[in-house]
Amino acid sequence: MQEGGVEHLVPEVAWWHGIVPGRPLYLRIADHYRRLIQAGELRPGQFLPPQGQIMEEWECSITPVRMAIRELEHEGLIESLQGRGARVLPKTPRAGS
């Protein structure tokens, strides 16, 4: 099993997963969910998949998954609810908009 297992995918599929050579795995995971949120595929109030499912999909340990979730929290895209998961937050207008 490879760390971040999606690297073995064909280039077209790798691109869809947001794989950028040399980019840390947690940022690639965050990029993937950021795109889903921005595209409206994950809407406010919906939950990201459970951490265990993300680990299986990306063939990685819990550490990069948790780091990706923290990254998205820091950006204000999601909130973590203990025992429930990570929920997408409503979009808030940016200052000056």
Side-chain angles (χ1 to χ4, degrees):
M1 186 180 312
Q2 300 173 339
E3 179 74 15
V6 291
E7 282 87 352
H8 66 279
L9 299 173
V10 295
E12 296 81 18
V13 176
W15 172 84
W16 185 84
H17 275 278
I19 295 170
V20 177
R23 188 154 171 84
L25 179 59
Y26 82 95
L27 290 176
R28 289 183 271 154
I29 296 169
D31 291 345
H32 173 73
Y33 287 103
R34 185 182 307 105
R35 275 194 303 280
L36 292 177
I37 292 166
Q38 292 171 342
E41 293 181 45
L42 281 172
R43 295 182 303 278
Q46 288 185 304
F47 284 82
L48 271 60
Q51 291 181 10
Q53 182 178 333
I54 297 171
M55 288 170 49
E56 287 179 21
E57 289 174 5
W58 288 83
E59 298 181 8
C60 67
S61 69
I62 192 67
T63 302
V65 173
R66 288 183 176 160
M67 290 174 69
I69 289 171
R70 278 197 301 269
E71 181 76 16
L72 296 171
E73 282 181 303
H74 179 73
E75 295 173 17
L77 295 173
I78 64 170
E79 66 178 340
S80 287
L81 302 170
Q82 187 171 2
R84 295 188 60 205
R87 180 172 59 190
V88 178
L89 292 172
K91 294 179 184 175
T92 56
R94 294 183 180 190
S97 297

